Amino acid sequence: MSFQTSPITLARVETHVSHKGFSVPDPFAPRQRPGASFLNALAATALFRCWHILLFFAGWSTLISVLNHQGHKLFIQPTLLTVIGTVLGFVISYRTTSSFERYNEGRRLWSQVILASRTFARTTWFHVPDQEATETVTAEEMAARSMIEKKSVINLLEAFAVSIKHYLRGEDGIYYQDLYHLVKFLPAYAMPAGIPPMTDQPETTTSFDFSISSPRGTDPRNASSPGQSSFLYQRTYSSAPDLPVPVTTPSLRKPQFLRPTRNILAHTSPREKIILQRDDEGLLLPAHMPPKYHIFDLFPFSLLIQYFTNRGKEIKGKKAARLRAKMRQKAISHNLPLEISLYLSSYVSALQNRKQTDVPTINTLIFSLNQLVDSLTGLERILTTPIPFSYSIHLWTVTMIYCLALPFQIWTALGWVTIPGTIIASFIFFGFLVAGEEIENPFGYDKNDLNLDHFTNNIIRNELRAITSAPPPDPARWAFAAENDFIFSSHIDGERFTPEQWMKKGHIQMQKTMSIVHL
């Protein structure tokens, strides 16, 4: 039996509330990276971070086995194997669990950022009415002003998420391709110090040449005023405590449009402003700057990183970036996400002063804004609360001693199997240790870190733009569309009537239809 179907041409009627949508990658698909292969997958495992330790214990166990085979009798009773091994296993398990809790809490807080951004944007776009016309401003002009205002606020929601991403990675400033255009028009608050940025310069202040990109006809030292271009300050740096940052965050390159000069701050305001000209915007830093693998990531070349770094050499590679991240930082960044939240709060305050919307809408906006700030505070807590050093170093020391003593205890029972047995046991213990250290700070560029770029670009940015891609739809248009013929039908094969036909039947017939139960 064969079936023949005639081709059907489908077309969508475009209305003033329809839009083409946005091409969004599958959010549930695994992370795809250029050149993904077995080697990349191997690099994401604990084996890549502790292979040199395994080589050491392979050599150590081989040495002990050879000496025992030659009759030196280097073995002891396996009492410590059962006593210390059980305790060590529980302690390492607790260490890994605590790291995963931090990882999971970071993901939960980012979910809260996404939720609050959705709620704030939806409430702003749909529930905040336009201002009423006045004697000097027409209704059409007020509608245009309101749309500009709403869109600017929703853009700041995107900027809030993007700035959190850079802030957590220690990437200071606003000069990034995904952030600069969203915040360049904002005047700056005198914010307190935040988390140290990743910079290799030990100076307590950083000097820049501000001569190339000031708006024409505007003194960059003048305070911004209505009707003039306003922009964020280029911050200067000062000393700050040694706070942890993602160990895989690369040290930032100085933007080419910020050229170092000598003692320029002695003659200028400590808070200069820089707006890039259109031609200079190509010099903005990329939104995603993961450090790449280098020969210095391999043993024994990695032993030279400390030597060259202490002498001011710029060493490439992930381990070099990790070392720079752990070095004491004398530079601080300003809390740009918190600064943006003040402007979002100013918008809500303006709505209150104008009496432009009702109290429940104001409460929803304030609640969403509080969620954003609460998420920022929680993410800072994860970033600035490392595992205590004494606990971490003691755990590494005990694990090292246990694995060193392991060949002496298992030789009599295993013989030459002592070598692979020691390697496997070392991989189990040290694998958990390095995995816990990697995920305890999940905001960097490691393969096992949270995909912050996916949160900001594929979720928040695209959803906010989808919300604002069309004016708030009128229910009088979509609810009474002729295609809405499944209103009161209880199953797909039942009779279907358009809203206009149901209007003719009356509300009593509608109620009777809904009261019929189809089994």
Side-chain angles (χ1 to χ4, degrees), residues 114-127:
I114 295 172
L115 171 63
S117 299
R118 289 169 173 171
T119 303
F120 198 106
R122 186 188 69 247
T123 304
T124 300
W125 193 252
F126 288 94
H127 298 278

Side-chain angles (χ1 to χ4, degrees), residues 95-108:
R95 170 70 171 84
T96 307
T97 302
S98 63
S99 297
F100 181 76
E101 288 177 353
R102 293 159 62 94
Y103 184 94
N104 194 45
E105 184 183 5
R107 180 62 182 93
R108 182 186 62 81

Side-chain angles (χ1 to χ4, degrees), residues 15-29:
T15 66
H16 76 287
V17 296
S18 64
H19 58 88
K20 296 181 180 180
F22 300 95
S23 176
V24 183
D26 182 6
F28 302 103

Side-chain angles (χ1 to χ4, degrees), residues 93-345:
S93 175
Y94 172 76
R95 170 70 171 84
T96 307
T97 302
S98 63
S99 297
F100 181 76
E101 288 177 353
R102 293 159 62 94
Y103 184 94
N104 194 45
E105 184 183 5
R107 180 62 182 93
R108 182 186 62 81
L109 291 171
W110 268 101
S111 296
Q112 185 168 302
V113 171
I114 295 172
L115 171 63
S117 299
R118 289 169 173 171
T119 303
F120 198 106
R122 186 188 69 247
T123 304
T124 300
W125 193 252
F126 288 94
H127 298 278
V128 175
D130 298 336
Q131 298 183 59
E132 297 181 357
T134 63
E135 295 180 356
T136 57
V137 183
T138 64
E140 184 177 354
E141 291 176 343
M142 278 298 187
R145 290 180 61 88
S146 295
M147 182 167 291
I148 292 175
E149 191 175 71
K150 290 179 182 180
K151 180 58 176 173
S152 299
V153 169
I154 293 176
N155 285 347
L156 286 184
L157 289 174
E158 178 185 342
F160 183 86
V162 174
S163 63
I164 288 181
K165 178 190 72 173
H166 291 294
Y167 183 56
L168 295 177
R169 289 175 172 174
E171 298 167 353
D172 191 28
I174 66 171
Y175 298 100
Y176 303 93
Q177 294 174 356
D178 59 344
L179 178 62
Y180 171 73
H181 299 285
L182 299 173
V183 298
K184 65 178 180 178
F185 57 92
L186 296 176
Y189 273 88
M191 298 299 295
I195 298 173
M198 294 319 306
T199 177
D200 293 333
Q201 281 68 33
E203 296 85 357
T204 56
T205 60
T206 302
S207 301
F208 298 115
D209 182 1
F210 303 98
S211 60
I212 77 166
S213 296
S214 296
R216 297 177 181 177
T218 304
D219 186 351
R221 302 183 189 86
N222 292 338
S224 59
S225 59
Q228 292 182 339
S229 296
S230 58
F231 25 82
L232 283 174
Y233 296 116
Q234 170 63 33
R235 280 86 172 178
T236 55
Y237 303 137
S238 59
S239 60
D242 184 16
L243 298 179
V245 292
V247 295
T248 53
T249 300
S251 59
L252 290 187
R253 306 181 301 274
K254 283 187 179 180
Q256 299 178 28
F257 50 83
L258 301 179
R259 297 188 295 268
T261 58
R262 279 188 292 176
N263 301 325
I264 191 171
L265 292 182
H267 307 286
T268 60
S269 171
R271 285 176 172 264
E272 288 287 358
K273 307 171 183 178
I274 299 177
I275 278 289
L276 303 181
Q277 297 178 4
R278 188 68 177 267
D279 295 338
D280 296 328
E281 291 178 357
L283 300 175
L284 291 172
L285 295 172
H288 186 76
M289 298 183 295
K292 298 181 180 180
Y293 287 106
H294 194 264
I295 189 174
F296 283 100
D297 288 323
L298 300 177
F299 185 86
F301 301 102
S302 58
L303 300 177
L304 303 175
I305 294 177
Q306 181 80 41
Y307 175 82
F308 286 116
T309 302
N310 291 339
R311 282 156 180 76
K313 301 292 185 180
E314 180 67 23
I315 304 299
K316 298 181 180 180
K318 286 181 173 290
K319 289 188 177 180
R322 189 175 294 116
L323 176 62
R324 289 192 293 269
K326 291 181 178 179
M327 294 176 63
R328 179 178 179 82
Q329 301 299 317
K330 295 185 178 182
I332 61 173
S333 67
H334 288 262
N335 197 331
L336 183 58
L338 183 60
E339 191 170 334
I340 294 175
S341 71
L342 300 180
Y343 284 98
L344 294 173
S345 186

